[in-house]
Amino acid sequence: MGESLSTAAPIGIFDSGVGGLTVARAIIDLLPHEQILYVGDGANGPYGPKPADQVREFSIDIGDYLVDQGCKAIVIACNTATAASFQILQERYEERYDIPVFGVIQPAVRRAIATTRSGRVGVIATEGTVQSGAYDDAFRLLNDDIEVVSAACPRFVDFVERGITTGRQILGLAENYLAPLQQAGVDTLVLGCTHYPLLSGVIQMVIGPDVTLVSSSEETAKDVMRVLSEKNLLAPESKLPHEALTEDAVMREPVRRFETTGDPERFAELARRFLGSMVGNVTATTLTN
Ligand code: DGL
């Protein structure tokens, strides 16, 4: 740890499972030349029902692994882990080694504030995130006038991890979870769990077309781009194969590694469904070098 950072080093991204791929995709869209190292913590997820100090330990284990692998930035692509460990990971990597650490809560709050007209915003998230009060704190910090109505949706993650994103069961569940937010008349709904954008069809159908869904992925990706650019850490803009004019100029696609502490085949199947062909080999990791 602590050697000077290389622009060619990967961006480390982690989540309890496949949800963080929604953030990874936004980062890859904005920064197609960057190497990526994604870790899904399938062995320990879901994080939502777990105590915050346990989630913090999982986050530190993965963060240390990503830093040991030479990552130049760490993206906590999970709201539950951001709520439990953003500050400690910032102290551990950013303050000690100048490795920038990104969470997903503040970017989502920023977007929601820019979106709402009525000032009444809904947040759906895991139990861990809702109980932490991290969204309430972040809204209060940026705009004290916003009224925040939160609801935990404990079973959503489980469905996504099983690859179920449509159908009667998930629709019924969404109707129950979203009823209090409909009653509160929110005009903006924050998808405060990185798994939820994969359910946005069902969520939008239930909450209705007048409510704007906000997810943190694009905003987080913009933060990553801005900070890496300020720190002169963006990967050199090598030609991607389709941009190269001569065969000599053809560079290889940046390496995007996907690892899981759980079952690599299951992860690969879901990840390819959600992220397409940019997911190559998925390898099992025990988080040691
Ligand atoms: N995707 C995660 C989040 O944003 C975690 C879900 C879970 O593991 O419960 O909160």
Side-chain angles (χ1 to χ4, degrees), residues 20 22 24 47 52 64 73 79-80 83 87 95 111 125-126 129 134 171 181 186-187 221 284:
T22 56
Y47 286 172
D64 283 1
N79 291 262
T80 318
Q87 207 180 334
E95 287 173 23
R111 173 91 335 246
T126 66
T129 302
L171 195 63
L181 302 162
V186 301
D187 74 343

Side-chain angles (χ1 to χ4, degrees), residues 15-16 46-48 78-80 126 157 193-195:
D15 177 44
S16 62
Y47 286 172
C78 170
N79 291 262
T80 318
T126 66
V157 168
C193 169
T194 54
H195 282 70

Side-chain angles (χ1 to χ4, degrees), residues 7 9 11 31-36 72 228 233-235 254-256:
T7 54
I11 298 172
L31 299 168
H33 303 282
E34 297 291 339
Q35 322 256 24
I36 301 288
K72 63 183 177 186
L228 290 187
L233 278 176
L234 284 177
V255 177
R256 297 181 189 129

Side-chain angles (χ1 to χ4, degrees), residues 14-20 22 38 41 44-50 76-82 104 125-129 154 157-158 161 191-196 216:
F14 76 91
D15 177 44
S16 62
V18 292
T22 56
Y38 183 96
D41 195 11
N44 295 311
Y47 286 172
K50 306 236 157 79
I76 312 170
C78 170
N79 291 262
T80 318
T82 300
V104 284
T126 66
E127 312 97 289
T129 302
V157 168
D158 200 40
E161 288 290 331
L191 306 181
C193 169
T194 54
H195 282 70
Y196 298 176
S216 47

Side-chain angles (χ1 to χ4, degrees), residues 19 22 34 46 58-59 61 182 218 257 281:
T22 56
E34 297 291 339
F58 299 147
S59 303
D61 284 348
Q182 284 176 309
E218 281 85 15
R257 278 162 63 195
N281 261 355

